[in-house]
């Protein structure tokens, strides 16, 4: 690339205009043909970008040559080198340059100039190389071919022009009693300068030393005696101390990590930094191992121990900074003890959760028995009219979800597990299906297996709160298209409205004329519920039941969201704001009765329980009541669920958050074929997904 210069100033002037000590970057040279790009800034004189032909390496090299020809001297800030950044100084002005490709194109590149304010301007010797400069502290390091005497004369002249004057031993000791400025160095000289006027600038130390290769090394830095000798503590990082005054610092890990580290660059001498860490670590109970301590003029290596950890510390010098690196490791014995304690705590939690689950099941069984006794003997179920599913569905079924392509049927029912089992054993036999006995045949859960020719169906009915969840999968359910389930006995005729009387329940009222009432809750052991669900069946028209709940709930200070109400001839859905949280009322006509589903959520309790999903998301909590580990895959994510963990009341089991929708759930246990099912979940819901004892099915329970 030809090295041609272009400028943005009319008349071709390359001079840089100073405005409050800042360079006007629009006057800087750039590669001919490069086009300026607008900067989104109120100060176009302080930043500018140019893009043109050539790769990044060519643009860096050619831009450096152009700036050097215009009198700009390149330097690097201490410990801030970058492959695509450069820094330049000309007199009292500074400029930084960043280089980049033009988007994805490698044949075009650009430079972005930014004006830099030099807080403390230090002169650069002629023909200086390897320049390291920090205008803030200040610091200057470089090498020159000039002799020590010639270089000293240069700095005496240039520093004087900038307001600096030699500092005497008396003046130094008057302010800093421990200052020693009359020391001598081999093959060189060391002098001190102070700034005239009330600038607040600390004195600097100039060191010049001739090397064996006939070059003079130069260093200007703040005089060591003027730096802090007693460092104050700043905020801790990863549980480790850090001085208040630092140039930079960072950590990996946290205070409770098995391994962690901290590093820092500190503008202070090694001695005060070493004293700071010894003092602060001692306060935290760390004990220095003196046998491992090595301290020299410019380096220190130390080791510390605490009751649970060991630490090594490396302290060194770089330019005018002290570097610190601390590495911490938890003792192996402590790691073992922590793992044992966690395992014991997990075991106790699992036992408590299982005990609570068993108690909840027993309580639910007792309530169901009492409700059944109050209703009298449970009548035999009959098949729902109008069902287009390949197997019968009881007339007490609701929330029916049938997928013929996947061979899956799911629904909930207010009938008991035993009544549903009897319904299917007799009904499937009448259709020519053969029943295979199962070891799972309990009052709260039953597994049924049916076969006919080369087809099979597996069914699980499990009591979940006030309802029974029924799932069926198998080849015998495939190939039949889904059709809406309709009750042909009731039609859409509007029933005559009647005034219903409340049973007097102060929280969740039900008409006295009901034929079924059940109230279920979800909560943690010993904690308040975070969800209530009332289920009822009322032998009255939908309009009558709707009027009843609008009247009774309003009297209990519930506020209806009338804009979201959906009312049809055979169903109604209403949203409320109850005193304890959001609520949803669903009414549906079925078998000459109106079914009631009233759900109230308690977000404050759900938040405490840790089950509240992110806004607009769904949270799944997994459990496994079997005796073997299973893999559960949802939405292309697979988790392991150990036996006996999780469950509807255990938010510390495996969890997952998803957008609302329908998801395929795959269960795989060792040595057994995988089983698929489908779940449909809505935004802001939380569901417990319990793996059945045989590892074949997922039993869903809405928790929130």
């Amino acid at each position: 690339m030809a090295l041609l210069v272009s400028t943005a100033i009319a008349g071709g002037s390359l001079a840089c205009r100073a405005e409050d000590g800042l360079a006007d970057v629009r006057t800087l040279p750039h590669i001919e043909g490069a086009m300026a790009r607008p900067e989104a800034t109120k100060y176009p004189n302080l930043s500018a970008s140019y893009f043109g032909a050539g790769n990044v390496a060519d643009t860096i090299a050619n831009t450096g040559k152009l700036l050097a020809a215009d009198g700009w001297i390149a330097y690097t800030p201490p410990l801030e080198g970058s492959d695509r950044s450069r820094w330049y100084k000309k007199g009292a002005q500074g400029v930084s340059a960043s280089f980049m490709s033009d988007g994805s194109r490698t044949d075009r590149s650009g430079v972005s100039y930014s004006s830099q304010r030099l807080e403390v301007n230090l002169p650069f010797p002629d023909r200086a190389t390897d320049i390291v400069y920090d205008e803030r502290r200040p610091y200057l390091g470089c090498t020159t071919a000039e002799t020590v005497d010639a270089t000293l004369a240069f700095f005496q002249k240039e520093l004087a022009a900038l307001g600096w004057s030699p500092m005497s031993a008396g003046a130094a000791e008057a302010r800093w009693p421990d200052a020693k400025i009359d020391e001598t160095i081999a093959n060189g000289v060391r002098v001190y300068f102070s700034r005239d006027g009330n600038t607040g600038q600390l004195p600097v130390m100039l060191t010049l030393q001739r090397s064996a290769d006939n070059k003079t090394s130069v260093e200007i830095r703040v005089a060591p005696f003027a730096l802090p000798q007693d460092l104050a503590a700043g905020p801790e990082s990863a549980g480790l101390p850090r001085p208040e005054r630092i140039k930079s610092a960072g950590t990996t890990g946290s205070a409770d990590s098995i391994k962690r580290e901290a590093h820092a660059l500190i503008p202070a001498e090694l001695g005060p930094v070493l004293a700071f860490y010894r003092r602060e670590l001692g306060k935290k109970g760390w004990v220095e191992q003196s046998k491992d301590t090595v301290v020299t003029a410019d380096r220190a290596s130390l080791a510390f121990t605490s009751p649970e950890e060991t630490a090594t510390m490396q302290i060194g010098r770089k330019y005018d900074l002290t570097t610190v690196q601390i590495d911490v490791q938890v003792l192996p014995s402590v790691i073992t003890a922590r793992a044992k304690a966690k395992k014991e705590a997990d075991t106790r939690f699992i036992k408590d959760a299982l005990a609570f689950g068993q108690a909840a099941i027993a309580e639910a069984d007792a309530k169901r028995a009492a409700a059944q006794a109050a209703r009298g003997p449970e009548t035999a179920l009959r098949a729902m009219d109008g069902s287009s599913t390949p197997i019968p569905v009881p007339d007490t079924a609701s929330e029916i979800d049938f997928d013929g392509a996947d061979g899956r049927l799911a629904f909930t029912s207010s009938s008991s597990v035993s009544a549903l089992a009897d319904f299917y054993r007799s009904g499937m036999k009448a259709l020519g299906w053969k029943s295979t006995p199962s070891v799972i045949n309990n009052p709260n859960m039953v597994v049924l297996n049916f076969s006919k020719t080369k087809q099979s169906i597996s069914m699980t009915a499990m009591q979940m709160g006030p309802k029974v969840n029924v799932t069926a999968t198998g080849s015998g359910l495939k190939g039949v298209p889904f059709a809406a389930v309709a009750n042909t006995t009731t039609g859409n005729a509007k029933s005559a409205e009647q005034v219903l009387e409340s049973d007097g329940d102060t929280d969740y009222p039900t008409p006295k004329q009901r034929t079924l009432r059940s109230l279920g809750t979800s909560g943690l052991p010993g904690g308040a519920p975070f969800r209530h669900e009332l289920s009822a069946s009322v032998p009255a028209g939908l309009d009558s039941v709707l009027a009843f709940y609008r009247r009774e709930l309003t009297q209990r200070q519930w506020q209806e969201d009338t804009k979201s109400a959906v009312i049809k001839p055979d169903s109604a859905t209403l949203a409320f704001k109850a005193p304890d949280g959001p609520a949803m009322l669903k009414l549906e006509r079925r078998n000459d009765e109106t079914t009631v589903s009233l759900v109230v959520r308690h977000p404050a309790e759900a938040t405490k329980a840790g089950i509240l999903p992110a806004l607009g998301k769904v949270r799944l909590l997994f459990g496994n009541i079997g005796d073997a580990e299973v893999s559960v895959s949802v939405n292309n994510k697979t988790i392991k669920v150990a036996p006996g963990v999780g469950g509807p009341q255990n938010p510390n089991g495996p969890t997952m958050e998803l957008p609302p929708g329908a998801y395929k759930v795959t269960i795989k246990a060792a040595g057994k074929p995988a089983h698929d099912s489908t779940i449909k979940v809505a935004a802001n819901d939380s569901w417990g997904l319990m793996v059945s004892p045989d590892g074949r099915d997922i039993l869903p329970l809405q928790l929130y």
Side-chain angles (χ1 to χ4, degrees):
M1 179 184 291
L3 185 59
L4 300 177
V5 66
S6 175
T7 179
I9 298 297
S13 171
L14 301 181
C16 290
R17 183 174 70 255
E19 295 181 357
D20 295 329
L22 295 173
D24 187 342
V25 297
R26 296 172 297 183
T27 67
L28 295 176
H30 53 271
I31 304 302
E32 185 176 13
M35 301 298 293
R37 288 189 179 174
E39 295 272 348
T41 174
K42 296 189 297 183
Y43 306 101
N45 60 311
L46 302 183
S47 60
S49 298
Y50 302 91
F51 284 82
N55 59 36
V56 172
D58 289 339
T59 300
I60 291 175
N62 291 325
T63 300
K65 292 177 182 178
L66 292 174
L67 290 172
D70 194 40
W72 290 89
I73 303 174
Y75 71 89
T76 301
L79 302 171
E80 293 185 19
S82 171
D83 291 340
R84 294 198 173 190
S85 296
R86 299 292 186 271
W87 295 264
Y88 302 92
K89 177 180 177 295
K90 183 178 182 180
Q93 296 178 335
V95 169
S96 65
S98 299
F99 301 88
M100 69 290 293
S101 298
D102 190 358
S104 60
R105 297 184 58 176
T106 58
D107 61 330
R108 288 179 58 82
S109 57
V111 57
S112 179
Y113 290 127
S114 296
S115 183
Q116 300 285 109
R117 185 182 300 278
L118 304 185
E119 297 180 11
V120 183
N121 178 28
L122 294 178
F124 292 0
D126 295 337
R127 298 183 296 167
T129 59
D130 304 322
I131 302 175
V132 178
Y133 171 55
D134 189 320
E135 78 284 358
R136 292 158 294 182
R137 290 199 290 274
Y139 179 84
L140 173 63
C142 62
T143 301
T144 177
E146 299 292 337
T147 65
V148 170
D149 291 340
T151 305
L152 177 60
F154 166 82
F155 278 109
Q156 288 173 331
K157 176 183 176 181
E158 296 298 326
L159 288 174
L162 295 172
W164 296 86
S165 59
M167 187 176 197
S168 66
E173 293 174 0
R175 182 173 177 184
W176 295 279
D178 295 331
K180 303 295 181 184
I181 67 173
D182 55 354
E183 72 270 27
T184 60
I185 62 172
N187 302 321
V189 64
R190 177 172 287 160
V191 293
Y192 295 79
F193 295 87
S194 60
R195 193 79 175 271
D196 294 337
N198 187 24
T199 62
Q201 174 61 52
L202 296 174
V204 297
M205 178 179 70
L206 168 64
T207 301
L208 305 174
Q209 195 166 29
R210 196 69 171 172
S211 61
D213 58 357
N214 292 323
K215 293 183 179 180
T216 300
S217 64
V218 178
E219 186 183 60
I220 298 179
R221 51 176 293 198
V222 173
F225 57 76
L227 292 172
Q229 303 300 306
D230 185 11
L231 302 180
E236 290 187 353
S237 184
L240 296 170
R242 192 177 73 185
E244 183 179 43
R245 187 167 179 258
I246 59 172
K247 183 180 186 298
S248 64
T251 59
T252 58
S254 59
D256 57 356
S257 297
I258 293 176
K259 289 184 179 181
R260 54 188 164 131
E261 67 89 22
H263 54 272
L265 295 175
I266 305 170
E269 292 294 292
L270 186 145
V273 172
L274 177 59
F276 167 82
Y277 279 101
R278 279 174 162 165
R279 180 189 73 220
E280 296 300 322
L281 287 173
K283 289 180 180 179
K284 297 179 68 64
W286 290 88
V287 178
E288 182 179 348
Q289 305 301 300
S290 56
K291 63 182 179 62
D292 298 318
T293 299
V294 178
V295 179
T296 64
D298 58 358
R299 184 161 297 278
S301 177
L302 302 93
F304 294 85
T305 61
S306 74
E308 295 190 345
E309 297 172 306
T310 61
T312 59
M313 176 183 293
Q314 302 295 329
I315 303 177
R317 294 287 296 168
K318 187 69 173 179
Y319 303 115
D320 61 334
L321 299 167
T322 294
T323 64
V324 176
Q325 175 74 33
I326 306 176
D327 294 280
V328 180
Q329 169 72 56
V330 175
L331 293 170
S333 58
V334 176
I335 297 175
T336 302
R338 288 181 181 178
K340 181 181 179 182
K342 183 180 184 303
K343 182 178 180 180
E344 292 175 349
D346 291 345
T347 300
R348 287 195 300 271
F349 185 86
I350 291 171
K351 289 182 178 179
D352 292 344
L354 290 175
F356 175 82
Q358 292 170 353
I361 292 173
E363 182 181 0
D365 289 343
K367 289 182 178 179
R368 284 194 301 274
Q372 181 62 43
R375 294 195 301 266
E378 190 171 9
T379 59
L381 300 178
R382 65 182 183 89
M384 180 179 289
D385 295 331
S387 172
S388 61
T389 55
I391 62 175
V393 177
D395 56 2
T396 59
S398 60
E399 302 177 39
I400 300 172
D401 182 10
F402 172 60
D403 190 333
D406 286 343
R408 182 183 184 277
L409 170 66
F411 62 86
T412 62
S413 173
S414 57
S415 299
S416 67
V417 170
S418 60
L420 289 166
D422 292 342
F423 170 81
Y424 276 105
R425 287 188 179 110
S426 61
M428 295 294 281
K429 182 178 180 180
L431 294 175
W433 290 86
K434 180 181 178 182
S435 176
T436 303
S438 169
V439 296
I440 302 176
N441 185 20
N442 302 315
N444 54 18
M445 182 176 179
V446 66
V447 174
L448 305 173
N449 298 306
F450 301 98
S451 61
K452 183 169 68 172
T453 62
K454 295 183 179 181
Q455 295 181 320
S456 63
I457 296 176
S458 176
M459 304 188 69
T460 301
M462 184 174 184
Q463 190 77 45
M464 304 295 277
K467 295 183 179 181
V468 174
N469 287 2
V470 179
T471 59
T473 58
S475 58
L477 296 172
K478 292 185 177 181
V480 180
F482 173 78
V485 176
N487 190 333
T488 59
T489 63
T490 59
N492 291 327
K494 183 175 180 180
S495 59
E497 184 172 339
Q498 63 186 104
V499 178
L500 302 176
E501 184 180 354
S502 174
D503 61 1
D505 190 306
T506 57
D507 295 318
Y508 305 104
T510 311
K512 283 185 177 181
Q513 296 88 335
R514 68 179 184 263
T515 58
L516 172 69
R517 183 185 191 273
S518 177
L519 181 64
T521 62
S522 297
L524 292 178
F530 42 76
R531 186 176 186 269
H532 278 86
E533 179 176 2
L534 170 68
S535 297
S537 185
V538 184
L542 186 141
D543 292 338
S544 300
V545 178
L546 177 60
F548 168 84
Y549 276 102
R550 276 181 161 163
R551 180 188 75 239
E552 294 297 325
L553 295 180
T554 300
Q555 291 176 358
R556 289 161 175 79
Q557 308 305 314
W558 291 39
Q559 299 177 8
E560 181 185 352
D561 181 6
T562 56
K563 293 182 180 180
S564 65
V566 178
I567 301 176
K568 299 180 180 179
D570 57 356
S571 66
T573 301
L574 283 73
F576 290 87
K577 182 179 180 182
D580 293 334
M584 185 68 67
L585 172 68
K586 292 183 180 180
L587 306 177
E588 184 178 354
R589 287 294 294 169
R590 186 183 298 120
N591 300 329
D592 295 329
E593 292 194 344
T594 299
T595 62
V596 179
S597 173
L598 179 60
V599 176
V600 183
R601 308 189 198 205
H602 309 297
E605 299 302 330
T607 300
K608 294 178 185 178
I611 71 161
L612 194 69
L615 185 63
K617 298 288 187 179
V618 178
R619 173 162 291 206
L620 305 181
L621 296 89
F622 296 89
N624 180 4
I625 58 177
D627 56 2
E629 182 181 77
V630 296
S631 297
V632 182
S633 299
V634 184
N635 197 28
N636 297 321
K637 297 180 180 179
T638 301
I639 62 173
K640 301 287 188 181
V641 186
V645 304
Q649 311 296 338
N650 183 1
N652 292 328
T655 65
M656 182 184 299
E657 279 202 346
L658 300 169
Y663 293 96
K664 176 182 176 182
V665 181
T666 301
I667 308 171
K668 180 67 173 68
K672 298 181 180 180
H675 288 266
D676 296 333
S677 58
T678 303
I679 59 171
K680 291 183 179 180
V681 287
N684 305 315
D685 285 351
S686 294
W687 285 80
L689 301 184
M690 180 70 74
V691 179
S692 63
D694 59 357
R696 294 170 57 92
D697 292 305
I698 279 286
L699 308 173
L701 171 66
Q702 186 171 2
L703 302 175
Y704 178 79

